[in-house]
PDB file of all heavy atoms in Angstrom:
ATOM      1  N   ASP A 398     130.636  59.737   8.464  1.00  0.00           N
ATOM      2  CA  ASP A 398     130.241  60.457   9.676  1.00  0.00           C
ATOM      3  C   ASP A 398     129.051  59.721  10.271  1.00  0.00           C
ATOM      4  O   ASP A 398     128.011  59.556   9.614  1.00  0.00           O
ATOM      5  CB  ASP A 398     129.852  61.900   9.338  1.00  0.00           C
ATOM      6  CG  ASP A 398     131.052  62.756   8.988  1.00  0.00           C
ATOM      7  OD1 ASP A 398     131.952  62.871   9.831  1.00  0.00           O
ATOM      8  OD2 ASP A 398     131.093  63.306   7.872  1.00  0.00           O
ATOM      9  N   VAL A 399     129.201  59.260  11.520  1.00  0.00           N
ATOM     10  CA  VAL A 399     128.181  58.401  12.123  1.00  0.00           C
ATOM     11  C   VAL A 399     127.840  58.889  13.525  1.00  0.00           C
ATOM     12  O   VAL A 399     128.604  59.626  14.155  1.00  0.00           O
ATOM     13  CB  VAL A 399     128.660  56.935  12.195  1.00  0.00           C
ATOM     14  CG1 VAL A 399     129.031  56.410  10.812  1.00  0.00           C
ATOM     15  CG2 VAL A 399     129.845  56.786  13.151  1.00  0.00           C
ATOM     16  N   THR A 400     126.678  58.431  13.985  1.00  0.00           N
ATOM     17  CA  THR A 400     126.259  58.623  15.376  1.00  0.00           C
ATOM     18  C   THR A 400     125.987  57.251  15.975  1.00  0.00           C
ATOM     19  O   THR A 400     125.174  56.490  15.445  1.00  0.00           O
ATOM     20  CB  THR A 400     124.983  59.471  15.459  1.00  0.00           C
ATOM     21  OG1 THR A 400     125.217  60.750  14.868  1.00  0.00           O
ATOM     22  CG2 THR A 400     124.560  59.666  16.911  1.00  0.00           C
ATOM     23  N   LEU A 401     126.683  56.910  17.043  1.00  0.00           N
ATOM     24  CA  LEU A 401     126.524  55.600  17.667  1.00  0.00           C
ATOM     25  C   LEU A 401     125.140  55.499  18.293  1.00  0.00           C
ATOM     26  O   LEU A 401     124.683  56.423  18.984  1.00  0.00           O
ATOM     27  CB  LEU A 401     127.599  55.379  18.728  1.00  0.00           C
ATOM     28  CG  LEU A 401     129.049  55.490  18.255  1.00  0.00           C
ATOM     29  CD1 LEU A 401     130.006  55.156  19.402  1.00  0.00           C
ATOM     30  CD2 LEU A 401     129.323  54.574  17.069  1.00  0.00           C
ATOM     31  N   THR A 402     124.472  54.359  18.068  1.00  0.00           N
ATOM     32  CA  THR A 402     123.108  54.190  18.585  1.00  0.00           C
ATOM     33  C   THR A 402     122.946  52.961  19.468  1.00  0.00           C
ATOM     34  O   THR A 402     121.923  52.828  20.137  1.00  0.00           O
ATOM     35  CB  THR A 402     122.112  54.087  17.414  1.00  0.00           C
ATOM     36  OG1 THR A 402     122.467  52.985  16.572  1.00  0.00           O
ATOM     37  CG2 THR A 402     122.106  55.372  16.598  1.00  0.00           C
ATOM     38  N   GLY A 403     123.901  52.034  19.477  1.00  0.00           N
ATOM     39  CA  GLY A 403     123.745  50.847  20.312  1.00  0.00           C
ATOM     40  C   GLY A 403     124.568  49.693  19.778  1.00  0.00           C
ATOM     41  O   GLY A 403     125.580  49.892  19.081  1.00  0.00           O
ATOM     42  N   THR A 404     124.141  48.488  20.097  1.00  0.00           N
ATOM     43  CA  THR A 404     124.840  47.282  19.650  1.00  0.00           C
ATOM     44  C   THR A 404     123.821  46.280  19.115  1.00  0.00           C
ATOM     45  O   THR A 404     122.619  46.378  19.382  1.00  0.00           O
ATOM     46  CB  THR A 404     125.631  46.626  20.797  1.00  0.00           C
ATOM     47  OG1 THR A 404     124.723  46.260  21.848  1.00  0.00           O
ATOM     48  CG2 THR A 404     126.697  47.557  21.328  1.00  0.00           C
ATOM     49  N   VAL A 405     124.340  45.299  18.389  1.00  0.00           N
ATOM     50  CA  VAL A 405     123.508  44.211  17.894  1.00  0.00           C
ATOM     51  C   VAL A 405     124.344  42.937  17.955  1.00  0.00           C
ATOM     52  O   VAL A 405     125.565  42.961  17.749  1.00  0.00           O
ATOM     53  CB  VAL A 405     123.024  44.486  16.447  1.00  0.00           C
ATOM     54  CG1 VAL A 405     124.181  44.530  15.469  1.00  0.00           C
ATOM     55  CG2 VAL A 405     121.993  43.456  16.006  1.00  0.00           C
ATOM     56  N   ARG A 406     123.694  41.837  18.281  1.00  0.00           N
ATOM     57  CA  ARG A 406     124.392  40.570  18.428  1.00  0.00           C
ATOM     58  C   ARG A 406     124.454  39.866  17.072  1.00  0.00           C
ATOM     59  O   ARG A 406     123.454  39.725  16.387  1.00  0.00           O
ATOM     60  CB  ARG A 406     123.679  39.688  19.453  1.00  0.00           C
ATOM     61  CG  ARG A 406     124.240  38.276  19.604  1.00  0.00           C
ATOM     62  CD  ARG A 406     125.681  38.303  20.101  1.00  0.00           C
ATOM     63  NE  ARG A 406     125.840  38.986  21.353  1.00  0.00           N
ATOM     64  CZ  ARG A 406     125.714  38.383  22.535  1.00  0.00           C
ATOM     65  NH1 ARG A 406     125.434  37.101  22.587  1.00  0.00           N
ATOM     66  NH2 ARG A 406     125.883  39.071  23.646  1.00  0.00           N
ATOM     67  N   GLU A 407     125.657  39.441  16.685  1.00  0.00           N
ATOM     68  CA  GLU A 407     125.876  38.646  15.490  1.00  0.00           C
ATOM     69  C   GLU A 407     126.527  37.333  15.891  1.00  0.00           C
ATOM     70  O   GLU A 407     126.939  37.144  17.043  1.00  0.00           O
ATOM     71  CB  GLU A 407     126.771  39.389  14.485  1.00  0.00           C
ATOM     72  CG  GLU A 407     126.138  40.633  13.889  1.00  0.00           C
ATOM     73  CD  GLU A 407     127.007  41.262  12.816  1.00  0.00           C
ATOM     74  OE1 GLU A 407     128.217  40.954  12.795  1.00  0.00           O
ATOM     75  OE2 GLU A 407     126.485  42.039  11.996  1.00  0.00           O
ATOM     76  N   ALA A 408     126.627  36.419  14.935  1.00  0.00           N
ATOM     77  CA  ALA A 408     127.211  35.111  15.237  1.00  0.00           C
ATOM     78  C   ALA A 408     128.650  35.240  15.728  1.00  0.00           C
ATOM     79  O   ALA A 408     129.097  34.486  16.591  1.00  0.00           O
ATOM     80  CB  ALA A 408     127.150  34.222  13.989  1.00  0.00           C
ATOM     81  N   ALA A 409     129.387  36.213  15.189  1.00  0.00           N
ATOM     82  CA  ALA A 409     130.784  36.380  15.580  1.00  0.00           C
ATOM     83  C   ALA A 409     130.955  37.280  16.791  1.00  0.00           C
ATOM     84  O   ALA A 409     132.080  37.534  17.221  1.00  0.00           O
ATOM     85  CB  ALA A 409     131.580  36.947  14.403  1.00  0.00           C
ATOM     86  N   GLY A 410     129.863  37.773  17.363  1.00  0.00           N
ATOM     87  CA  GLY A 410     129.944  38.657  18.518  1.00  0.00           C
ATOM     88  C   GLY A 410     129.186  39.943  18.277  1.00  0.00           C
ATOM     89  O   GLY A 410     128.593  40.164  17.218  1.00  0.00           O
ATOM     90  N   ASP A 411     129.184  40.822  19.294  1.00  0.00           N
ATOM     91  CA  ASP A 411     128.471  42.090  19.184  1.00  0.00           C
ATOM     92  C   ASP A 411     129.195  43.033  18.226  1.00  0.00           C
ATOM     93  O   ASP A 411     130.424  43.017  18.105  1.00  0.00           O
ATOM     94  CB  ASP A 411     128.360  42.764  20.551  1.00  0.00           C
ATOM     95  CG  ASP A 411     127.440  42.005  21.489  1.00  0.00           C
ATOM     96  OD1 ASP A 411     126.687  41.140  20.993  1.00  0.00           O
ATOM     97  OD2 ASP A 411     127.474  42.272  22.700  1.00  0.00           O
ATOM     98  N   CYS A 412     128.407  43.870  17.557  1.00  0.00           N
ATOM     99  CA  CYS A 412     128.981  44.937  16.753  1.00  0.00           C
ATOM    100  C   CYS A 412     128.189  46.213  17.018  1.00  0.00           C
ATOM    101  O   CYS A 412     127.056  46.189  17.508  1.00  0.00           O
ATOM    102  CB  CYS A 412     129.006  44.586  15.269  1.00  0.00           C
ATOM    103  SG  CYS A 412     127.394  44.433  14.503  1.00  0.00           S
ATOM    104  N   LEU A 413     128.808  47.344  16.705  1.00  0.00           N
ATOM    105  CA  LEU A 413     128.187  48.636  16.950  1.00  0.00           C
ATOM    106  C   LEU A 413     127.110  48.916  15.921  1.00  0.00           C
ATOM    107  O   LEU A 413     127.231  48.561  14.749  1.00  0.00           O
ATOM    108  CB  LEU A 413     129.240  49.741  16.874  1.00  0.00           C
ATOM    109  CG  LEU A 413     130.203  49.898  18.043  1.00  0.00           C
ATOM    110  CD1 LEU A 413     131.258  50.946  17.709  1.00  0.00           C
ATOM    111  CD2 LEU A 413     129.452  50.303  19.304  1.00  0.00           C
ATOM    112  N   LEU A 414     126.046  49.563  16.370  1.00  0.00           N
ATOM    113  CA  LEU A 414     125.045  50.123  15.468  1.00  0.00           C
ATOM    114  C   LEU A 414     125.260  51.631  15.407  1.00  0.00           C
ATOM    115  O   LEU A 414     125.526  52.271  16.428  1.00  0.00           O
ATOM    116  CB  LEU A 414     123.635  49.819  15.956  1.00  0.00           C
ATOM    117  CG  LEU A 414     123.105  48.398  15.752  1.00  0.00           C
ATOM    118  CD1 LEU A 414     121.712  48.284  16.343  1.00  0.00           C
ATOM    119  CD2 LEU A 414     123.089  48.021  14.282  1.00  0.00           C
ATOM    120  N   ALA A 415     125.155  52.185  14.207  1.00  0.00           N
ATOM    121  CA  ALA A 415     125.368  53.611  14.045  1.00  0.00           C
ATOM    122  C   ALA A 415     124.437  54.136  12.965  1.00  0.00           C
ATOM    123  O   ALA A 415     124.066  53.411  12.032  1.00  0.00           O
ATOM    124  CB  ALA A 415     126.821  53.911  13.680  1.00  0.00           C
TER     125      ALA A 415
END
Side-chain angles (χ1 to χ4, degrees):
D398 288 302
V399 303
T400 300
L401 303 184
T402 58
T404 60
V405 65
R406 175 63 58 88
E407 293 185 341
D411 291 345
C412 66
L413 285 174
L414 284 178

